[in-house]
Amino acid sequence: MSEQKKSPLLTALLSLFPLILILSIDLFAMFLQSQAKAISHFAFGVLMAQLISVLVFMKGQICPGQRERLSQVNGYFSLFWGLWFLISFFSNYHFILTDMISLCGIAVVLATWHQPQDNQLRRSMLIIASLMGGLGCLCYLLIFTEVSMLSFIQYNLFAQGLLGIILANLALVVARNRLQGLIALFPLFMLVMLFFNALSGLGVLIYSSSTVSFANELAWILYFSLHLVIAFIIAVHIFKQWKLSYNTLAILLLMAASLPLWASFAYID
């Protein structure tokens, strides 16, 4: 994606596309399951992306223009949280933890929106954003008391960590942020998350293989094959010292977001 100035409409479309993509996959994965509670497969990852942005706001040497653009891009996360809050609060899928996580996500958006010029006040608002994001992450951990061991792979925190890093990278690309040192570290962090996701997922499968007969074993083959494809794309960019473009990040996001779907298909006849 070019570093040239983008129109407001194009910026809005580029910001919305990743969120519409993960929302569509998230809701489809939820309706595939028999559980009667609204639990997002990506809420932890979205919170991670927001917290990375807060870290950039607090520690990054960015000019007011970059700060404003990143703030605007982060504002679109309210779409994700607003829709999940509505689905949970006003439907038969109501789940109090989802309500709380969604409100925490919205609070992070509000605390980083139109940041004040005064450094002390701005820092206070960003600390509040960090605390609300952390509270949202803690609330999400409680969700694992509501899902079975076999469902762990579908909500794996490492997969969500991968998705969160990709989302944060996308936000910085759309905002035309020039923190090259931080951006250069993202592919390495993605590989780490990918490795631990595969390792933990394999551990759960080995643990449950003696007691569970999966309906679609092909889904697991595709699930772990995607790990290899993602790793290959990232490794090539690291080896060639290429920057991850918007288009490449969008492809990685699609593959990372599809992981819970393949895990869900494994249980469906």
Side-chain angles (χ1 to χ4, degrees):
M1 188 58 58
S2 172
E3 293 294 324
Q4 297 176 356
K5 185 176 181 180
K6 307 180 183 73
S7 68
L9 177 59
L10 180 58
T11 299
L13 292 175
L14 294 176
S15 302
L16 284 171
F17 173 74
L19 294 174
I20 293 174
L21 175 66
I22 64 173
L23 271 171
S24 302
I25 295 175
D26 205 3
L27 295 176
F28 182 56
M30 183 188 74
F31 290 125
L32 281 178
Q33 299 171 23
S34 59
Q35 63 190 19
K37 290 182 179 179
I39 301 177
S40 169
H41 297 78
F42 305 131
F44 188 85
V46 174
L47 284 170
M48 270 198 64
Q50 290 180 280
L51 288 173
I52 292 173
S53 293
V54 171
L55 179 64
V56 171
F57 287 133
M58 294 182 70
K59 300 296 184 180
Q61 299 297 319
I62 56 177
C63 66
Q66 294 179 59
R67 183 178 298 275
E68 181 180 358
R69 290 193 299 270
L70 185 57
S71 176
Q72 290 173 353
V73 172
N74 271 259
Y76 290 100
F77 285 121
S78 58
L79 170 68
F80 180 91
W81 298 120
L83 184 56
W84 265 107
F85 181 81
L86 292 175
I87 290 172
S88 175
F89 193 80
F90 295 105
S91 74
N92 294 330
Y93 297 96
H94 184 227
F95 187 37
I96 186 65
L97 282 177
T98 296
D99 299 345
M100 295 173 63
I101 295 167
S102 299
L103 290 175
C104 287
I106 292 172
V108 177
V109 171
L110 294 176
T112 56
W113 184 253
H114 290 309
Q115 297 172 35
Q117 295 294 326
D118 181 74
N119 289 335
Q120 189 61 40
L121 181 58
R122 182 171 67 235
R123 183 174 179 81
S124 298
M125 294 297 293
L126 292 175
I127 290 174
I128 292 174
S130 301
L131 293 174
M132 295 307 298
L135 177 61
C137 290
L138 289 175
C139 289
Y140 194 86
L141 294 178
L142 295 176
I143 283 176
F144 288 99
T145 63
E146 300 288 333
V147 298
S148 65
M149 181 67 175
L150 289 177
S151 299
F152 171 81
I153 299 178
Q154 299 170 49
Y155 301 95
N156 198 321
L157 298 183
F158 294 115
Q160 295 196 56
L162 170 64
L163 181 133
I165 296 170
I166 296 173
L167 277 177
N169 201 336
L170 277 166
L172 291 175
V173 169
V174 175
R176 306 194 303 279
N177 200 287
R178 291 184 288 274
L179 292 175
Q180 301 305 328
L182 175 63
I183 293 175
L185 292 175
F186 281 156
L188 295 174
F189 293 149
M190 292 177 194
L191 283 179
V192 170
M193 291 295 176
L194 190 67
F195 172 77
F196 282 110
N197 184 69
L199 190 64
S200 59
L202 188 61
V204 171
L205 285 183
I206 293 174
Y207 175 79
S208 58
S209 60
S210 60
T211 57
V212 177
S213 177
F214 296 106
N216 295 302
E217 294 183 356
L218 177 61
W220 288 128
I221 296 175
L222 293 173
Y223 177 87
F224 288 105
S225 296
L226 269 179
H227 285 69
L228 296 177
V229 176
I230 295 172
F232 176 77
I233 294 174
I234 297 173
V236 168
H237 280 74
I238 293 175
F239 180 75
K240 295 288 188 179
Q241 295 184 339
W242 293 340
K243 295 180 182 178
L244 288 168
S245 67
Y246 181 93
N247 294 335
T248 303
L249 286 167
I251 293 171
L252 290 174
L253 181 70
L254 174 61
M255 290 190 288
S258 68
L259 292 176
L261 274 182
W262 294 116
S264 298
F265 289 146
Y267 299 95
I268 301 173
D269 256 322

